Amino acid sequence: MRYLVITLITFLMASKVNAGNNPDAILGKWIAIPKKNFMVEVLRVGKEYKARLVWFNDRDDPSKPMKVRTDEKNPDPALRNRKLLGLEVLTNMVYNKAADRWESGNIYDAKSGRTWRSSAWLTKDGTLKVRGFWHFEFIGKNMDFKRV
């Protein structure tokens, strides 16, 4: 029994140390699942992680291809002419080594023009989970992404 407890504690400590050593595991291109209707690229600038929109499905309105669509729902009229393609949709995210996740971010939803607080983490199967929430994290919604 003592051997089992020591082995379990060693395993948990090792897995936490290994997971905490890769804050850049989030970097790269990710496609939303299950719909596969948009793709973001996560970048790091200093200690901050950001994401920009690099592709989205524009079949809903063939008269407005992806390259010409703008941020028309933005609450700030001065920003409504920004192109959606290349738009920063995630800002201020920082890695919390102790929690092994990214926190304190802001995520922008161009469909509604709203900005939410956000956090993110990787699951064991490599899925990136991004949670958008208003004030309290337990009141929110997850989005899932697979690496491209």
Side-chain angles (χ1 to χ4, degrees):
M1 182 66 164
R2 175 185 259 191
Y3 175 75
L4 180 61
V5 171
I6 292 171
T7 302
L8 181 61
I9 291 171
T10 304
F11 174 76
L12 290 173
M13 287 173 52
S15 65
K16 193 61 168 175
V17 170
N18 290 337
N21 285 332
N22 194 7
D24 289 344
I26 197 174
L27 297 178
K29 290 184 179 176
W30 299 86
I31 192 160
I33 55 173
K35 292 183 180 181
K36 298 184 180 179
N37 56 347
F38 70 96
M39 184 186 312
V40 296
E41 181 177 20
V42 178
L43 311 162
R44 184 176 58 136
V45 178
K47 292 185 177 188
E48 181 182 329
Y49 293 84
K50 300 179 177 200
R52 61 188 175 114
L53 189 61
V54 294
W55 175 87
F56 59 91
N57 184 339
D58 60 1
R59 285 182 250 150
D60 63 322
D61 186 354
S63 69
K64 287 186 174 182
M66 162 175 41
K67 292 181 182 177
V68 301
R69 293 200 191 186
T70 59
D71 189 13
E72 59 190 32
K73 302 274 182 156
N74 197 298
D76 181 348
L79 299 177
R80 291 183 185 153
N81 289 325
R82 298 187 300 178
K83 300 278 188 207
L84 288 181
L85 206 56
L87 184 68
E88 275 189 3
V89 292
L90 178 71
T91 57
N92 302 323
M93 192 75 81
V94 292
Y95 184 69
N96 178 336
K97 186 175 181 177
D100 190 24
R101 60 189 227 139
W102 297 263
E103 300 175 336
S104 304
N106 295 307
I107 191 163
Y108 177 67
D109 175 13
K111 283 189 173 188
S112 69
R114 295 188 71 181
T115 300
W116 306 91
R117 301 289 298 142
S118 64
S119 60
W121 63 96
L122 289 169
T123 64
K124 289 181 183 181
D125 71 350
T127 299
L128 174 61
K129 297 241 181 216
V130 179
R131 184 156 186 86
F133 57 95
W134 185 255
H135 293 292
F136 303 102
E137 197 164 348
F138 64 88
I139 304 172
K141 181 179 177 183
N142 288 351
M143 294 179 293
D144 294 348
F145 294 85
K146 283 290 185 190
R147 188 178 294 280
V148 178

